[in-house]
Amino acid sequence: MAIRVSDLLAARRPHRVDAARNFDAILAAARSLFAEQGTDVLLADVARRAGVGAATLYRHFPTREDLAEAVYVAEVDSLCRYGEELAATHEPWEALAEWIRRFVTYMATKRVLLTALDRESGTFLACKAALYESGGPLLVAAQQAGTARDDVSIDDVMRFVIGVTSSPFGSDDQRDRILQLAVDAVQPH
């Protein structure tokens, strides 16, 4: 089972219903604005989109880095939960291929967040470990089923897919074709 990185936020998430709702609204607004404008977005704009005052935002997230880290943790947790769902509902190869596709989509949209994070922090390292623990069992299951190469590790797969898909593409169709090439490379020859 993957690390529940959401536990990293659980201690910060308020217990009062209205405060928890504000916390969640701030995360959702930040996620959206970071994707649209990058992490240099005005925090006043995040508060406005969340429907809260600046003091409420700063009470929950004293710095921009705190907010970016919280959004990152929530996104990693979502991807890990998706991996668990895939493992329970799909054949091994389908689960792995879908997880890789979601991982690439996640990386493309979260690249901007990575610039705002301390890559040596315990939180970042826990998120990285959670991603490996999410994808690793999917790869092993596909390898055991004979539908994935047995000479690769999850580290190999993640680095390969990130490398292949990290350059800019001329269109979404081109990105999808290249991603399919990367997914196909994980299958045995």
Side-chain angles (χ1 to χ4, degrees), residues 103-178:
F103 175 72
V104 168
T105 302
Y106 153 82
M107 286 305 299
T109 58
K110 301 311 162 217
R111 211 172 299 285
V112 69
L113 281 176
L114 293 175
T115 62
L117 299 175
D118 174 4
R119 293 182 185 217
E120 301 301 318
S121 75
T123 299
F124 181 83
L125 296 174
C127 287
K128 182 178 177 181
L131 289 171
Y132 279 73
E133 288 186 27
S134 178
L138 298 173
L139 175 62
V140 169
Q143 288 169 327
Q144 290 173 346
T147 56
R149 293 172 55 158
D150 61 4
D151 63 338
V152 297
S153 69
I154 192 61
D155 186 54
D156 296 334
V157 172
M158 290 172 70
R159 288 175 187 273
F160 175 67
V161 170
I162 290 168
V164 167
T165 59
S166 63
S167 65
F169 298 103
S171 68
D172 288 344
D173 287 339
Q174 183 183 41
R175 182 200 63 228
D176 293 344
R177 283 191 310 274
I178 291 172

Side-chain angles (χ1 to χ4, degrees), residues 18 21-23 25-26 44 46-57 60:
D18 60 330
R21 186 174 39 249
N22 288 342
F23 183 91
I26 293 167
V46 174
R48 192 172 9 270
R49 184 169 289 185
V52 301
T56 299
L57 183 143
H60 292 294

